Amino acid sequence: MQTFLQYTILGLAIGGSYFIAASGLVVTYTTSGIFNFAQGAIAMLAVFTYWQFRWGWNWPAPLALLMVLGVLAPLLGAALYQVVMKNLRGTSEVTKIIVPIGVMLGFQALATWVWNPTSSTPRQFQKFFGPNAFVHFGSIKVSWHEIIAFVIAIAIAVGIRLLFVRTRSGVAMRAVVDDPELLQLNGGRPERLAMISWAGGSFLAALAGILIQPMIGSAMSAGQLTLLVIDAFAAAMFGRLRSLPRTLAGALVIGLTTTYVIAYFPSKWTWSSSFRNSLPMIFLFIVLIVLPQDRLRGATVLRLRERFRMPSIRTAWIAGLVLMVVVFCLKVIMERTAVNTLTLALTFAIIALSLVLLTGFAGEINLAALSFGAIAVIVVYHFGTTGSGTDARTTLWGILLAAVVTALVGAVIALPALRLRGLYLALATMAFGVFVSRMVLTERNERDIFGLKFTIFTAGQLTIPKPKIGPFDFNSPDAFLFLCAGLFVIIGIGMVYLRHSGYGRRLAAMKDSPAASATLGMSVVRLKLSIFMMSAAIAGIGGVMMAAQIGTVNSDRFDILLSLSLMMITVVGGIGYISGALFAGLFLIAFVQMLDLTLKKFAVDYSSLEAIFLFFVSAVTVLPATIGITMGKNPSGAVSDIVNGLDQIKQSKSLVITLVGLEAAIWALTATDVITNWHFVILTMINLFIVPVIGGKVLLARAMRGVPKPVPPELIGIDRPFTSDDLAEMDRALDLEGVVVPSAGTVREGATGVSA
Amino acid sequence: MSETNYHEDHGALADAPLIELVDVRAAYGTIEVLHGISLSVPQGSVVALLGPNGAGKSTILKVVSGLLQPTAGEVRLAGRVVNGAPADELARLGLCTIPEGRGVFPNLTVRENLWMATMAGVPLADVEEIAYARFPRLGERRKQLAGTMSGGEQQMLSMARALSVNPSVLLLDELSMGLAPLVVANLYEIVAQVSQEGVSILVSEQFARTVLGIAQYAAIVLHGTITRVGTPAELEDELSAAYLGS
Ligand SMILES: Nc1ncnc2c1ncn2[C@@H]1O[C@H](COP(=O)(O)OP(=O)(O)OP(=O)(O)O)[C@@H](O)[C@H]1O
Ligand SMILES: [Mg+2]
């Protein structure tokens, strides 16, 4: 009985803290329609900042609290809204998910940068009034901290409820969700309300973090804290991001069950601590299953700012060929380590292809691509290899089996969430990812499952040999490089074929309007499910290739944060493009690593400037996130800019020749060892990325001179006569090339009929 | 200002209209939909915008209300250029807009909807008093979610806002949308009364006959330009031929 009471109180306190974090999510989602994935990261930053004030600099607790909760956290929230989130109005759900994730990864990197995790003195974070402040109720003793946590949670539940019902600003916050324009017409200021609510949401996150950190009783870790408040997601989902009482109930249930697991599971069950850690994710999953289906929405996603153009099949083949040639040329000049990096980058590009397929083609989101890779790797490790020692090889059947298993696992994960909006599938996959990290990849003990002796993640690391397919052995680094490049090209071209097929058109239709697709008799769920399974299988294959390239992988390789980074960078590259995936792999692996190495090399070479270069080394860790955050401004991604630049260049033969000529010269210099690989990469970057953009601008400026301002399309025919060039241009823009018009006469008549 | 005063000054005030658009152009993204609109609404009068679907009537109202910034030209309210002023500021200065088809917050109760109207400066008690006196039906349903009320009741609620915040300019977009003819006639009776009290009203409407019964002027909008302005009597023939199809 005493244990029960003791743990009940702890559970209520932890659940209360979850509620505080979750209520912050509800408040910000209510006013801005953005699910703040960075909530946990804000809590984490607050914990570290509070630690710095309170114990780093020995400030008194009230002052430190005032500073963190009263000043910094609200400021951070307001600034986040003003600088980042405000720009997300009118963007797709994908962008609305990716940008907060970028913020989260950025904060994460920032905290690791400022508070070095390998610091020699462990950071102690204590409960309020110190670790020994207890109250005794009969035989049980309860720490003041726990009482405070629970009381604050209840006070906040009541307070927010009063705010939303009894104050005009609170009611206005609810009105913002209904119709921000109408609120403006009433004289309200929706932007200011949203900013205030973000300030409040950030305050709640910070409060939750400071309350919860000492209760979990482990050392302060940026990654762990960020994910810890993700547990609050489950509670927020239980309230459907709307109802505060249900959110409170959900949070308390999660808090209590997790503490009861610690209290009552026999200690010989080695998995109970992993189970405790994954419980909120399991809970989130169950909530998703029981949530009622959303109303299908058609009109609300209209007129997005993102625009993607699919290449024709011929272009895809040419691009694939070019990529293979480029890889060959690179192989000739590259050092061994560079070849390895390039191969690894290509394996990530394959994983990123799975994201392009799912998100770019179908508009659904998977935040745990690498977790599917992990499943595939486990399958291959156990069932897909032959030989041993240096003769060990991964078999084709092993890879295929892994693909099938990941597809099936994908189906199981996605099925409950597919009835719901994209955000819920994203959360379900994230839950799955965290579950895999906490439960599956920590499985290092031998289990006896129905008489089958089995260890899932042996000794914390798995060795995956290089594949041998039929007579082709891909054991040598060069052969494996070509295998990965070839695989990328084949899957990429396959996806272009898919996109041009009837199936692909149905996908595009579904992405634009699920409701309209359903009324046309398509089975939206079946379509989504099949695409999700395909995507999971590709992620699995990519994961196996990645593991084979690395050789021996540990669980860090499949970390959820890495999955999130990959997703984010793919979106940055252009989630609708095959090349967006290539960009993601190259950027995340090759470019970041190259920058890191280059800067470190400079730090050694120019030791007087060492501090500056090391500063930039840290800055590189924040770079991908920073780029992700800028997505709000350019939702179609970087590749689309480059493609647009290239489009203009294609019209100028001289520029094309300049580009190719320059690149050939750089290559020749490297091949003859005049310049190093580093120079090669840097010069190539400049040549390929910067010259087209500048060249495009110059060409455009030159073209603009003397040419009349372009007439907006709807005025063609009014301001100037309609020519056959215009028709061709419109066909191209609308992707109607090759579509057979039944009879030109009837179409024209129909058109004038509408406009009259 | 009293009613008589206004009528005596009609000639002078017609020179200084309360709403004035001068060569206004507006676009959604890169697509221009208003190609140079010039229009004025004298104080205390009702001006009707008539025209086919997609002509740009709602867009004109959006520009005046401040929701859409014009790309060229000037919007003047009471002689002051208000280009670029945010909609909420104009609303607090006495411009009341009932937008097309959705004048209420569906997930707020009737009373909360009226509460939002108080941001223009009138206290809630007064707003409620005026609203419930005019529409007793709303008084019975003050705790009901606006979204669950019938279309007519919702339109009453948005009209109640227009009546109670004491505006000097009223913009009405398609009051009749989806309503029974009798209800429409009722609503426009109220609009006529409001204009008698000196409020300047710009209204877009498909029920041309009803609105022409109370309007002093009408403008015909076609393809983003105003093709004709005149009194209802002047436009009668043209309208029945080209627009009403009778
Ligand atoms: N948000 C928007 N984005 C892009 N185009 C728009 C938008 N709103 C309206 N349009 C376009 O602007 C044009 C004018 O629309 P508007 O709503 O002003 O017409 P209207 O005269 O009010 O028509 P109706 O009688 O049907 O209400 C139409 O061609 C419409 O398609
Ligand atoms: Mg309209």
Side-chain angles (χ1 to χ4, degrees), chain A residues 150-218:
Chain A
F150 186 67
V151 169
I152 291 183
I154 298 299
I156 282 179
V158 174
I160 296 181
R161 168 103 192 129
L162 288 181
L163 172 78
F164 274 162
V165 178
R166 293 287 170 79
T167 70
R168 193 174 76 179
S169 304
V171 175
M173 283 182 183
R174 282 161 51 213
V176 171
V177 203
D178 274 357
D179 193 337
E181 276 193 358
L182 182 60
L183 187 68
Q184 247 191 315
L185 293 177
N186 273 278
R189 303 175 180 90
E191 290 294 338
R192 205 172 69 171
L193 287 170
M195 190 179 84
I196 293 173
S197 75
W198 274 77
S202 174
F203 161 82
L204 291 169
L207 180 60
I210 290 175
L211 287 173
I212 211 165
Q213 167 63 34
M215 285 195 286
I216 56 171
S218 58

Side-chain angles (χ1 to χ4, degrees), chain B residues 57-58 100 173-174 204:
Chain B
K57 306 181 295 292
S58 300
E100 195 168 15
D173 197 352
E174 223 83 38
S204 149

